[in-house]
Amino acid sequence: MPEPGLPRRVGRQKRPPVPESARKRAAKACVPCRYHKEKCGGGVPCARCRQYNRACRFEITAPQPVSRQTGNHATGLGSSSHAQDREAVMLRIIRHFMGDVASDTSSLRSIADGLEKRSPDHDGQVLTGITGPEPESYSLEPLSSSTMHYYGELSHWNFSQTLRRRLRSLGSGTDQNYGADTVRGTHRATGLQSSTSVVSSAMAYFPPRDIADFLTETFLQYAQTNYFYFDERTLRQKMDHYYSNEHALTIHDAGWIGTLLMTFAIGTQFAYMQTKPIQMSPHVPSEIPDDRVGLELYRFSCRLIPDLVTVASVETVQAFLLLGSYTLPIDTGGLAYTYYGLAIKMAIQNGMHRDSSQLSLDSDTIEWRNRLWWSAYSLESRISILHGRPVSISHLEVDAHVPTDRALPLPTGRASNLHNVNANIFLTGQLGKVSQTIMRLRGCPRPQQKGHLHDLMVIRSSLAKWWSSLPTEVHCRDLTPTGPLFRCNVHLELSYDTVIIYMGRPFIFTPKPAHSVASEPHNESPIYTLATDCLDAAIRIIELCQLLHDSVGIARVSYTEFSSCRAALLALIAHSLNTQTDRILNTLSQGMTLIRQMCVGVESARSDVAALEAMEHARQRLQQQGVPSEPGNLDIDLGYSQFQRWAQLWESEPPSAQQHSSTTDATFSEFPDSLTPPSFDGFFASLPQEVDSFATITGSDQLFLDDSWLGEPGGPILPAEGVNPFDI
């Protein structure tokens, strides 16, 4: 009771209900307005969806079942009014910690998913009542059906949107919002576009339609393998459009024009494979296909780059991926690396790395965004890791769904490579994990070495189980030469074996334990296991390349085939410094014969093969000098001494062209008289540093006697489709 003389406190009066006809906003907002946190005026479509050309739709919620009246309020099974009171209290708690958020099911589900991704420290602060920064979700502003603009969580734009919503909520009780809703839209620098775009003259570079169909089919059959570059149905529709339509081209056609021209250009690189297998030889220049047509198509496409960057659409991502693929065998670490980086930047600008399921897009468009993103990410990440460079985006920033078969059907008669693509995405993720683990192992304190080696052994065991779980009919592991996905499957296994080599090559020159006993054999140590796996994978790669050679032929411009063979030969040469068995030497000789055929007409490949020839020449000179070698013995102390002697010999006495010719059957007789060994660019660039780091791991003679401390290393066997490529 209030004290006498004091006015009685009046409680907050309940606001009377407002009739529908007098409401300033709709009783229920549409899904796009709710996603962009905008005021919805009602109607189908609403005014904002009409303004931004969006698909206006409303969420249909199923009626909630009414709880039975049991009278037991203490257990929460009482009347429906009790459930409503409980829901109201929970909403008050949510709004206390999260602010004024939407209370519909989809919005609350998005908030819950976001909270699950936060760190444990942040969750602890929320539970203890310590308020952190106000959450800001990312934004995707649609500019057209194929162009969007992405703003990250901590961007200026997102904070401005948070401020705008706050101003709107403060003015919601009045008839005006003080101009908070007047500024909208994303600015594009259209003033920087070409005034007279070079794309208008592109049709002069289009080949005749029958030739265009031949080159496109060649690309799909030999160049695409385990990636997605474009939707085949849409590409053929665009070909019909441009070949039958005579209207003037504009800058907005640049993406598809670049995609088509580079598809034709890459087709010229593989066109010779449509004939019977050719036994390529570096001695017969006339057997090198004429690349002038492809080069002209590439040079014209390069003139489109300013327009491609300015437009920054999904189609420009396709064009840059194809530019990178054309230059991949020619200049891997230079032009190809740059083009793939541009493709990633264009994709991020369009928000393709984020979950697109909440966008007002049809299922085919969403699926193609996911497929194109993961192809770009896999290509750029793989090239970056194998060339010792940082990737453009961390996998922690990616939540796009992996490709599925729920949309984008293929033309009749063509086998889907979806399983292979998803397996390739997974391998790329594991390659990144291996790279990070090896970098942590380098130079780490002795107590931490055991843990990092354990991580590598877990990855190795789980990869082996995952690989054995892949399908063996048609997809992934079917190596029948007449199968529809034969080359795709061979390329997938080449990529798998390359990961195994990458994992084990740092331990080739690591000293073995000095105090091994019978109960703790050396051949059970993780270092020995990883090095042995590396050797087995190298031999397997040469076998696969020989299988290609004997069946459909080796592609002289296939980066996967050449780089895998090169990595295998480097590993074989390194292992031969430790032990020279007939198996290693015969495989090494077989691989050198194969890789000489792969470098025909590609100058960068010829340079890499010249480096391999020089190293093999130095190894043979060491063998001829009678350096002892015990078959089957991985005494790496002796092997490393051999390696040092070989390195000094090769550096002080680079082989002359005459010596080189006598050893390698005059394979590179066209090289200058003074042959300077090319640099170790690419896959094995960091070998000398790896030797220095891993050959002197502190305490390695006491730590890694066997792998009994590992227990049973293993992990889940993940299916090829729908996997998280970063989980094991």
Side-chain angles (χ1 to χ4, degrees), residues 584-598:
I584 293 177
L585 297 180
N586 292 339
T587 306
L588 183 58
S589 175
Q590 181 184 17
M592 293 301 298
T593 301
L594 290 170
I595 203 168
R596 290 179 193 130
Q597 297 187 33
M598 297 183 189

Side-chain angles (χ1 to χ4, degrees), residues 266-287:
I266 297 174
T268 64
Q269 293 179 315
F270 291 88
Y272 72 97
M273 296 196 69
Q274 292 281 23
T275 63
K276 61 181 181 180
I278 298 176
Q279 301 298 325
M280 294 178 293
S281 170
H283 299 292
V284 188
S286 61
E287 292 184 0

Side-chain angles (χ1 to χ4, degrees), residues 85 87 138 177 204 240 288 382 438 468 528 582 706:
D85 292 342
E87 181 180 355
Y138 64 89
N177 290 327
D240 293 338
I288 302 176
R382 189 172 187 83
I438 291 177
S468 63
Y528 178 91
D582 291 340
D706 60 67

Side-chain angles (χ1 to χ4, degrees), residues 32-354:
C33 288
R34 216 167 44 238
Y35 174 77
H36 293 286
K37 298 180 176 63
E38 299 170 342
K39 182 174 69 174
C40 183
V44 182
C46 67
R48 290 191 180 276
C49 288
R50 284 199 307 269
Q51 178 184 355
Y52 296 111
N53 194 23
R54 302 186 302 216
C56 186
R57 57 188 176 89
F58 288 84
E59 185 180 58
I60 301 176
T61 57
Q64 298 295 329
V66 180
S67 302
R68 292 185 177 181
Q69 307 263 351
T70 62
N72 188 356
H73 295 274
T75 60
L77 299 176
S79 64
S80 60
S81 61
H82 176 76
Q84 293 174 356
D85 292 342
R86 183 183 181 193
E87 181 180 355
V89 173
M90 293 178 67
L91 284 176
R92 287 173 56 192
I93 296 174
I94 293 174
R95 285 170 178 164
H96 173 77
F97 290 110
M98 305 296 296
D100 187 14
V101 297
S103 58
D104 58 279
T105 303
S106 61
S107 298
L108 292 176
R109 185 180 293 111
S110 299
I111 295 174
D113 293 341
L115 289 174
E116 289 179 355
K117 297 180 181 179
R118 294 182 181 272
S119 64
D121 294 339
H122 183 276
D123 295 338
Q125 292 175 358
V126 172
L127 292 175
T128 56
I130 302 176
T131 59
E134 182 177 351
E136 299 179 9
S137 61
Y138 64 89
S139 300
L140 274 173
E141 296 295 323
L143 303 179
S144 69
S145 59
S146 64
T147 307
M148 297 190 179
H149 205 90
Y150 169 77
Y151 298 96
E153 286 82 349
L154 301 179
S155 64
H156 292 314
W157 172 264
N158 259 29
F159 183 74
S160 70
Q161 293 299 93
T162 301
L163 181 59
R164 175 174 169 268
R165 291 192 296 269
R166 182 60 58 88
L167 289 171
R168 186 174 58 190
S169 64
L170 293 175
S172 60
T174 65
D175 293 335
Q176 52 181 320
N177 290 327
Y178 303 102
D181 292 331
T182 59
V183 180
R184 289 294 299 149
T186 301
H187 172 72
R188 278 294 181 97
T190 56
L192 299 180
Q193 296 177 357
S194 303
S195 56
T196 55
S197 176
V198 295
V199 74
S200 59
S201 59
M203 291 305 299
Y205 288 82
F206 272 53
R209 181 59 192 266
D210 56 339
I211 302 298
D213 290 334
F214 168 78
L215 294 176
T216 301
E217 187 63 29
T218 300
F219 176 93
L220 293 170
Q221 185 174 353
Y222 295 99
Q224 181 166 254
T225 59
N226 299 321
Y227 300 96
F228 290 121
Y229 294 96
F230 47 76
D231 176 28
E232 182 180 350
R233 296 177 307 163
T234 308
L235 180 98
R236 295 194 182 278
Q237 291 172 4
K238 292 295 180 179
M239 288 177 62
D240 293 338
H241 170 75
Y242 289 119
Y243 272 97
S244 61
N245 200 334
E246 298 180 355
H247 74 280
L249 302 178
T250 67
I251 188 175
H252 299 290
D253 295 305
W256 272 114
I257 292 297
T259 298
L260 287 168
L261 290 179
M262 290 313 303
T263 299
F264 302 152
I266 297 174
T268 64
Q269 293 179 315
F270 291 88
Y272 72 97
M273 296 196 69
Q274 292 281 23
T275 63
K276 61 181 181 180
I278 298 176
Q279 301 298 325
M280 294 178 293
S281 170
H283 299 292
V284 188
S286 61
E287 292 184 0
I288 302 176
D290 189 352
D291 292 332
R292 286 179 296 177
V293 174
L295 185 59
E296 289 300 320
L297 293 172
Y298 165 76
R299 287 173 174 169
F300 178 81
S301 299
C302 288
R303 297 168 60 188
L304 298 175
I305 290 178
D307 289 342
L308 294 174
V309 174
T310 305
V311 174
S313 63
V314 174
E315 291 79 18
T316 65
V317 179
Q318 298 175 171
F320 279 121
L321 280 183
L322 293 169
L323 283 165
S325 298
Y326 178 83
T327 56
L328 188 59
I330 302 171
D331 188 10
T332 308
L335 286 172
Y337 172 78
T338 302
Y339 286 137
Y340 287 147
L342 286 170
I344 287 291
K345 297 301 182 184
M346 297 292 102
I348 293 175
Q349 187 171 345
N350 280 275
M352 296 167 64
H353 63 301
R354 304 306 302 261

